[in-house]
Amino acid sequence: MNYLNKLLILLFVIVICSCSKDDDNQKYVSAHIMPTFVTSLHPVDEEGQSYNVANNVIQGIASFEDGWFVAQTSGNSVLLLNYLNAYGESLFRKRIYVDSHGQDLSVEVISENELYLYTTIGAFGENRNTGILKLKVLLSSIVNDQRDWSSTSITVENQFDLNYSNSTPALNEDKSQFAIRSANTIYVHNKTNVESLNFNPQYNFQLHPEQLSDNGNYSMFFQGIAMKDNNVFCLAGNEKIGTHKNIFVYNQNGLVTDKFTFDRNDLSQNFYDKFEPEALTFKNDEIYFSIMTKSEVTTGNIKYLYKINL
């Protein structure tokens, strides 16, 4: 076999493999879903005179016991954390004066009286370097099935500068890995490595082009990330009333296996000037996310919590 024939065969194999990979990436399950309404969310601020919490969206949410930790930000200079009960009412709130967008939130329970929260550190925007913020939460003991949330304390435990663009970190179920978005790439890191300042990812992959636009007409922004069973779940959408919102599911090879789509007609609440999904998290086998909207008579964001059973 001469050199030219060998070269032609090699090029043929490369083309076939490339096409096969592209075809595999397109063979995902697409489903239209109807999320279930859970509750309205009502975070508050400990310094209400200087911060109108209604004007800001919920950027991160994480399940703990019967309620939810939620994160909001004001100009990336104040991270506002709330713990809400099952009815969305605030039992605890705390300002943390750090450069954080509060994008996505994860809980790692250490004991009955101690846990860690993980979210973003660093300001969002083009060419901004961001990483992971680790917060230590000390809780009161449970007495008669109740906690004294007034005695809760939250302090900055550590921060990890990953040099990522618009980082949105999420812990997996067994708290051994972070799935982190940076621009249009997902990086998966070993948590122990990150805390040892080894920032080399285990693997990474690019977001699917369909996650970035609505049929090529409108930009679809990255709104949330979660990780379960070695799959990475990514929430995409914008605030426009008429656009679909999507959840893309990626496997370890970075291929889309499922795409879940919903629009405002699939939800039980009314939406007027805004329909924006924010934050993503798992509780058991159900995935939860929030929706921001505005009514005809309010100026601030109305915050709803929804879930879907995957």
Side-chain angles (χ1 to χ4, degrees), residues 278-292:
E278 290 278 2
L280 197 66
T281 193
F282 271 96
K283 183 176 182 180
N284 301 322
D285 291 325
E286 295 177 311
I287 196 163
Y288 290 75
F289 57 89
S290 62
I291 293 289
M292 305 296 113

Side-chain angles (χ1 to χ4, degrees), residues 39-45 51 53 56-64 67-73 78-85 88-96 101-107 117-119 135 149 154 278-281 288-290 292 303-305:
T39 188
S40 298
L41 303 174
H42 303 282
V44 298
D45 184 21
Y51 181 87
V53 69
N56 294 79
V57 304
I58 288 176
Q59 301 286 0
I61 186 168
S63 168
F64 176 66
W68 308 90
F69 279 102
V70 297
Q72 295 177 267
T73 185
V78 175
L79 176 64
L80 178 62
L81 297 168
N82 270 250
Y83 179 74
L84 311 178
N85 64 17
E89 302 162 336
S90 180
L91 302 181
F92 170 80
R93 75 284 308 173
K94 175 69 175 179
R95 280 185 171 209
I96 307 291
H101 197 68
Q103 185 72 47
D104 284 294
L105 193 65
S106 296
V107 172
L117 296 174
Y118 299 87
T119 189
L135 300 166
W149 282 94
I154 301 182
E278 290 278 2
L280 197 66
T281 193
Y288 290 75
F289 57 89
S290 62
M292 305 296 113
K303 305 166 178 69
Y304 295 133
L305 182 65

Side-chain angles (χ1 to χ4, degrees), residues 106 169-180 186-189 202-203 205 225-234 250-252 280-282 287:
S106 296
L171 275 176
N172 67 347
E173 289 177 292
D174 66 5
K175 316 304 178 186
S176 64
Q177 292 176 304
F178 286 110
I180 306 168
I186 301 296
Y187 294 91
V188 175
H189 286 259
Q202 294 174 296
Y203 59 92
F205 56 85
I225 188 170
M227 189 175 186
K228 180 180 174 64
D229 299 331
N230 293 317
N231 293 317
V232 176
F233 296 73
C234 299
Y250 296 85
N251 64 17
Q252 287 179 290
L280 197 66
T281 193
F282 271 96
I287 196 163

